[in-house]
Amino acid sequence: MEYIIIIISAVFVNNIVLAKFLGICPFLGVSSKVETSVGMSGAVLFVITIATIVTYLIMHYVLIPLGIGYMQTVAYILVIAALVQMVEIILKKASPSLYQALGVFLPLITTNCAILGVAILVIQNDFNLLQSVVFAIATAIGFALALIIFAGIRESLDLVELPKGMKGAPIALVVAGILALAFMGFTGIV
Amino acid sequence: MSQLTNFTKGFVKENPLFVLLLGMCPALGTTTSALNGLGMGLATTFVLVMANISISMVKNVIPAKVRIPSFIVIIASFVTIVDLSMAGFLPALHAQLGLFIPLIVVNCIVLGRAEAFASKNTIGSSAIDGLGMGLGFSFALALLGAVREVLGSGKVFNITLFPDKYAMLVFVLAPGAFFALGYLISIMNRIAKKN
């Protein structure tokens, strides 16, 4: 039950993009086509899960025993940057087809604040390892949901005639706002 | 480029938020009031200036291949300084901004200026560039925060303008952040075109 609440909360109620404002850059950047947004979502799901596990272990077995918990930010960003590089190299050798699908998005992920955000959030929320993994996967699914819906809307938006000033970023933000309004309907479920 | 244009370019012409569209996450997440927006902007400004200064000091020592990880470590150190000092001296603001303080480290503006400006220019002009960009970002956040605060609760900088029963609460909540930023960017585009 506890895990179901974590999942519903992370996917719908506290959606990472539309309620917590993390990962806005890829949300606006790679959402012009459904295809690329699916690729990006896959890459985020992959990296966010591994990064959360690794940073969780580092926090609890390296930083806290050494009494340097305040080095969290520095340690995490280094680990995430190194991890993304490693995943890229391993994927290239081990599964060229998966690398083909996710490859272009991997370098972009280091600066995706959703990854670092989730890694810090699981520590703040005092989750155990299994809860952290469930939370990370659910967050990534929430990201994917928002991104793919948004990409679908933007594809049809290309065909609409807009006032000059609203083209590009402004209309994308207004659409994201309407989407956030829709997601607010989930408030109170958990 | 003179030092004055170097300083002022961050406000309108190359405003990080309205024109370059960088730093969206903190811009949307922390601007529930003008004061929060300003606080976030100033924290980012400190990191930008200090990181720009340090990076331009060590730019000739760092091999080109490892420059990005080195920049990130320098930035992360200053972010930790800001995080700890804010927790100590401004606990209320720190609690409001929460997660977004450590997340300054992945704010594209900071790494962007380090890579595009500080790694090529002198210490003095890097400091001015960081200050200009940071204050431009602070200005943008304060403006966005003020718009949301006025529309959402009828107040600005905690001064009541009209009773909050006439206010639209949605502007303080998540969707309002997207609406307000979208329309502000569109207005800013219009102003920039007229100039």
Side-chain angles (χ1 to χ4, degrees):
Chain A
M1 192 60 208
E2 178 195 5
Y3 295 106
I4 296 174
I5 290 177
I6 292 180
I7 292 171
I8 293 177
S9 158
V11 175
F12 296 110
V13 184
N14 294 312
N15 187 285
I16 186 106
V17 181
L18 299 169
K20 291 212 174 130
F21 304 117
L22 298 177
I24 302 280
C25 303
F27 181 67
L28 293 176
V30 295
S31 58
S32 47
K33 276 203 188 113
V34 173
E35 230 169 84
T36 48
S37 69
V38 172
M40 185 68 186
S41 306
V44 167
L45 178 68
F46 198 64
V47 173
I48 215 169
T49 314
I50 301 174
T52 307
I53 297 171
V54 173
T55 51
Y56 182 91
L57 295 176
I58 285 186
M59 187 69 187
H60 284 271
Y61 294 102
V62 180
L63 296 183
I64 291 178
L66 289 175
I68 48 169
Y70 57 86
M71 290 295 281
Q72 196 192 38
T73 313
V74 182
Y76 276 23
I77 190 71
L78 269 182
V79 168
I80 290 170
L83 203 70
V84 172
Q85 287 268 306
M86 220 167 69
V87 168
E88 201 180 341
I89 294 167
I90 294 172
L91 222 52
K92 213 174 185 174
K93 286 269 178 239
S95 168
S97 58
L98 195 60
Y99 179 77
Q100 281 276 311
L102 307 182
V104 264
F105 303 107
L106 284 173
L108 290 174
I109 282 186
T110 318
T111 51
N112 182 341
C113 44
I115 312 282
L116 184 61
V118 168
I120 296 174
L121 272 176
V122 297
I123 302 296
Q124 278 181 0
N125 291 347
D126 269 330
F127 283 158
N128 63 34
L129 186 57
L130 189 59
Q131 284 172 328
S132 305
V133 174
V134 171
F135 179 71
I137 293 174
T139 302
I141 293 172
F143 178 79
L145 185 68
L147 187 63
I148 293 167
I149 294 176
F150 189 56
I153 299 175
R154 277 187 90 176
E155 271 188 359
S156 353
L157 210 60
D158 281 345
L159 309 170
V160 178
E161 220 169 286
L162 287 165
K164 240 187 221 159
M166 292 302 286
K167 269 183 193 147
I171 190 68
L173 282 162
V174 172
V175 169
I178 296 170
L179 207 54
L181 212 52
F183 268 72
M184 258 178 72
F186 292 115
T187 314
I189 288 185
V190 288
Chain B
M1 185 168 25
S2 80
Q3 294 296 21
L4 186 69
T5 49
N6 185 15
F7 178 69
T8 52
K9 68 175 187 286
F11 284 86
V12 180
K13 222 178 91 204
E14 287 182 39
N15 188 295
L17 183 60
F18 295 138
V19 182
L20 306 179
L21 302 178
L22 296 175
M24 290 286 215
C25 303
L28 294 165
T30 63
T31 51
T32 46
S33 73
L35 218 53
N36 285 354
L38 194 61
M40 183 68 207
L42 293 179
T44 312
T45 306
F46 173 79
V47 175
L48 251 172
V49 173
M50 297 311 287
N52 260 7
I53 291 174
S54 323
I55 287 163
S56 71
M57 266 196 276
V58 295
K59 63 176 184 281
N60 296 327
V61 191
I62 296 177
K65 268 189 185 162
V66 294
R67 69 178 192 289
I68 300 286
S70 325
F71 292 171
I72 291 179
V73 174
I74 293 173
I75 294 166
S77 316
F78 287 112
V79 170
T80 308
I81 294 173
V82 170
D83 195 12
L84 293 176
S85 350
M86 276 182 97
F89 297 112
L90 302 162
L93 185 63
H94 186 263
Q96 284 277 322
L97 301 179
L99 189 59
F100 287 98
I101 297 285
L103 288 183
I104 296 176
V105 80
V106 281
N107 189 328
C108 322
I109 301 170
V110 185
L111 190 61
R113 290 329 286 174
E115 169 72 4
F117 198 92
S119 63
K120 296 182 193 111
N121 287 285
T122 59
I123 298 173
S125 46
S126 299
I128 292 170
D129 173 76
L131 192 65
M133 277 290 167
L135 292 178
F137 186 58
S138 309
F139 157 72
L141 289 197
L143 183 66
L144 180 59
V147 168
R148 287 181 66 190
E149 203 182 354
V150 169
L151 293 175
S153 64
K155 290 187 282 192
V156 65
F157 287 106
N158 291 324
I159 301 161
T160 308
L161 298 180
F162 53 85
D164 61 2
K165 65 178 172 185
Y166 299 116
M168 295 173 277
L169 183 66
V170 71
F171 274 95
V172 182
L173 302 174
F178 289 109
F179 292 137
L181 184 58
Y183 283 105
L184 271 180
I185 290 175
S186 141
I187 293 167
M188 277 297 186
N189 280 346
R190 172 103 192 151
I191 294 171
K193 280 223 180 83
K194 270 199 176 156
N195 289 345

